[in-house]
């Protein structure tokens, strides 16, 4: 395994007027290369940055919409150092449950632990055209869980999205592991993106100079919650299979589906496919335990192939051997079958295995967290801490 002192591979990204000299104190404070252009990163323009405008928020957020009395005529034109200082101050004012510990960007060809430098170019086609794919991996006790499985999936997604790789698989793998190592994060998550890259604001990426790789290490202070939840049937149209099977950044339907659930005092919405069968949640798979004690899950041909869901199917074989489950089935699931099941659960890298106790107005089973759901959660938690090397990659 290469140490952190090993230089990371550099993409062949070139762009006219891409260089700008930063003050020495910025180079001393964070990992920002001397040829970094904040104009290229979309941080400054002739119109300046950070005018006196309140941020418009969703209806469930506390902050009000833009104040009509706000004066915006005196928008400042900032130097590079002034823009950077405002970025730092803006980050300092953002307090949340998630901490961003390290970021890699192939644009500046390195890792930074300064959150104010964790930015991407505005002309990146992932930003303004949604031409990008992403994936994630949990960090548990200094190990990346199902890292290679997730890495294979993002490479498949990139191929389907016609995104050329900036590096080969092994170099991408090495960069991601080094980013986690630099973060010193023992428990959290790694999220990473492959993008068509920056270049212009056209629709086609033909003038993009180089595909881009970004990664960030997130430490979340939220405790894991295994309490039973309510779900509702989504009225937001499901993505067609061609797009649903790709883990792209086009998550507007997913976000609207999640917001619809929250508006109905539920945790998530459940999508149905075009034939009316149960499909998936906005960021997780769905599974059921039938009255015959079969673990039943919809097929992955029209939805995203969940890495955690497939691992749960493997671990569930142990429950079959113990006699707690009769069998495991991958098949179409009607809404009636789902609502009459003894147990229902959501499965994903974020929720792990979360029991569902109510779907719309229908109580699932006896309305309590089911024994099979609890057993599968225990199995996945144990697998994350002491599973085989195939699913646990150590971070040096």
């Amino acid at each position: 395994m290469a140490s952190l002192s090993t230089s990371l591979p550099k993409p062949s990204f070139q762009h006219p007027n891409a260089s700008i000299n930063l003050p020495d104190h910025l180079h001393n404070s964070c990992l920002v290369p001397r040829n970094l252009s904040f104009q290229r990163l979309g941080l400054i323009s002739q119109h300046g940055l950070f005018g006196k405008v309140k941020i418009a928020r969703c209806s469930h957020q506390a902050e009000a919409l833009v104040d009509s009395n706000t004066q915006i005529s005196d928008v400042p034109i900032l130097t590079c150092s002034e823009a950077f200082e405002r970025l730092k101050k803006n980050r300092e004012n953002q307090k949340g449950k998630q901490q961003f510990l390290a970021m890699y960007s192939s644009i500046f060809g390195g890792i930074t632990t300064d959150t104010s430098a964790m930015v991407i170019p505005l002309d990146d086609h992932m930003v303004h055209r949604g031409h990008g794919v992403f994936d994630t991996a949990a960090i548990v006790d200094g190990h990346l869980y199902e890292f290679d499985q997730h890495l294979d999936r993002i490479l498949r997604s990139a191929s389907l999205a016609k995104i050329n790789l900036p590096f080969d698989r092994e170099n991408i793998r090495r960069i991601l592991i080094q980013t986690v190592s630099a973060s010193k994060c023992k428990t959290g998550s790694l999220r990473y993106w492959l993008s068509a890259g920056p270049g212009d604001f056209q629709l086609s990426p033909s003038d993009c100079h180089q595909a881009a790789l970004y990664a960030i290490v997130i430490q979340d202070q939220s405790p894991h919650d295994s309490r039973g939840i309510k779900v509702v049937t989504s009225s937001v149209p499901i993505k067609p299979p061609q797009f649903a099977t790709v883990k792209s950044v086009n998550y507007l339907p997913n976000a609207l589906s999640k917001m619809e659930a929250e508006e109905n005092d539920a945790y998530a919405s459940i999508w149905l496919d075009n034939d009316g069968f149960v499909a998936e949640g906005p960021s997780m798979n769905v599974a059921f335990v039938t009255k015959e004690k079969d673990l039943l899950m919809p097929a992955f041909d029209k939805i995203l192939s969940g890495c955690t869901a497939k691992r749960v199917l493997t671990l569930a074989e142990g429950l079959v051997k113990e006699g707690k489950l009769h069998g495991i089935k991958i098949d179409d699931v009607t809404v009636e079958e789902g609502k009459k099941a003894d147990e229902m659960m959501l499965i994903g890298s974020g929720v792990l295995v979360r029991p569902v106790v109510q779907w719309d107005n229908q109580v699932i089973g006896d309305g309590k967290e089911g024994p099979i759901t609890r057993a599968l959660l225990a199995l996945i938690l144990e697998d994350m801490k002491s599973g085989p090397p195939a699913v646990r990659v150590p971070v040096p």
Side-chain angles (χ1 to χ4, degrees):
M1 182 68 65
S3 66
L4 280 176
S5 61
T6 303
S7 60
L8 296 173
K10 297 180 180 179
S12 57
F13 173 78
Q14 296 292 334
H15 192 281
N17 303 321
S19 298
I20 189 167
N21 292 323
L22 297 181
D24 287 339
H25 73 278
L26 290 183
H27 293 289
N28 295 332
S29 64
C30 63
L31 299 175
V32 181
R34 290 185 178 273
N35 66 344
L36 175 62
S37 167
F38 277 80
Q39 186 169 3
R40 285 283 296 108
L41 292 180
L43 300 179
I44 57 177
S45 70
Q46 63 180 10
H47 301 297
L49 181 68
F50 300 126
K52 300 177 180 178
V53 182
K54 288 186 177 181
I55 297 174
R57 300 175 183 269
C58 299
S59 58
H60 65 276
Q61 294 177 301
E63 188 73 26
L65 295 175
V66 174
D67 188 347
S68 60
N69 296 322
T70 299
Q71 298 297 317
I72 59 173
S73 59
D74 55 345
V75 179
I77 299 177
L78 305 174
T79 65
C80 177
S81 59
E82 289 171 335
F84 195 84
E85 287 303 316
R86 292 199 180 196
L87 275 174
K88 291 179 72 71
K89 188 172 295 184
N90 180 266
R91 280 296 187 187
E92 291 169 357
N93 292 334
Q94 294 180 7
K95 303 296 182 183
K97 295 179 180 178
Q98 292 187 336
Q99 295 182 2
F100 311 135
L101 303 183
M103 176 195 175
Y104 169 83
S105 169
S106 63
I107 302 303
F108 52 72
I111 300 167
T112 179
T113 56
D114 189 326
T115 55
S116 54
M118 295 178 184
V119 293
I120 65 174
L122 191 60
D123 63 335
D124 191 306
H125 279 229
M126 183 169 69
V127 176
H128 64 86
R129 296 299 179 189
H131 198 168
V133 295
F134 78 102
D135 224 299
T136 186
I139 306 168
V140 183
D141 295 338
H143 290 72
L144 283 162
Y145 183 65
E146 286 205 296
F147 178 48
D148 287 299
Q149 291 82 352
H150 284 273
L151 182 56
D152 287 339
R153 186 172 65 178
I154 194 176
L155 297 182
R156 176 184 175 276
S157 293
S159 175
L160 293 173
K162 297 185 178 181
I163 296 173
N164 295 322
L165 301 182
F167 314 108
D168 61 25
R169 185 188 188 279
E170 286 309 306
N171 271 314
I172 292 174
R173 188 179 191 274
R174 183 164 60 90
I175 288 169
L176 296 177
I177 291 175
Q178 288 191 34
T179 303
V180 178
S181 182
S183 75
K184 304 186 188 305
C185 181
K186 297 297 183 183
T187 301
S189 63
L190 168 69
R191 186 163 296 194
Y192 43 101
W193 295 259
L194 286 167
S195 161
D200 55 32
F201 289 91
Q202 301 297 326
L203 181 60
S204 169
S206 58
D207 287 332
C208 292
H209 308 280
Q210 175 78 28
L213 170 66
Y214 307 105
I216 193 165
V217 178
I218 305 167
Q219 185 170 324
D220 198 326
Q221 305 297 326
S222 304
H224 178 70
D225 194 344
S226 59
R227 292 175 297 176
I229 54 174
K230 172 187 173 182
V231 298
V232 294
T233 304
S234 179
S235 65
V236 179
I238 189 172
K239 299 175 188 175
Q242 180 181 357
F243 301 109
T245 54
V246 177
K247 197 171 179 66
S248 77
V249 298
N250 296 295
Y251 258 46
L252 180 58
N254 308 63
L256 293 177
S257 178
K258 175 68 171 177
M259 293 171 68
E260 179 183 34
E262 293 172 346
E263 291 164 358
N264 288 277
D265 298 320
Y267 180 83
S269 294
I270 302 300
W271 267 318
L272 308 180
D273 65 21
N274 292 330
D275 296 318
F277 294 112
V278 178
E280 60 183 340
S283 61
M284 65 285 288
N285 293 98
V286 188
F288 304 88
V289 178
T290 67
K291 296 190 180 301
E292 294 75 27
K293 296 303 177 185
D294 287 321
L295 179 64
L296 177 61
M297 191 178 295
F300 298 122
D301 56 336
K302 298 179 183 179
I303 59 176
L304 188 68
S305 178
C307 294
T308 307
K310 290 194 290 186
R311 186 61 182 165
V312 164
L313 290 174
T314 298
L315 296 174
E317 294 173 2
L319 299 183
V320 175
K321 293 178 181 178
E322 295 174 8
K324 296 178 180 179
L325 277 174
H326 175 265
I328 300 171
K329 293 183 177 180
I330 307 297
D331 203 353
D332 291 334
V333 184
T334 67
V335 174
E336 183 180 10
E337 286 177 309
K339 291 185 175 181
K340 288 184 176 180
D342 279 355
E343 299 182 39
M344 178 179 179
M345 65 198 79
L346 302 180
I347 303 173
S349 57
V351 297
L352 299 182
V353 181
R354 191 75 187 266
V356 176
V357 296
Q358 183 176 336
W359 182 0
D360 293 330
N361 295 322
Q362 177 68 50
V363 173
I364 304 298
D366 60 4
K368 300 178 181 179
E369 296 87 349
I372 299 300
T373 305
R374 290 198 302 267
L376 290 173
L377 175 59
L379 286 172
I380 204 78
L381 288 172
E382 181 63 27
D383 197 51
M384 296 174 79
K385 294 180 179 180
S386 58
V391 297
R392 297 181 76 243
V393 175
V395 178

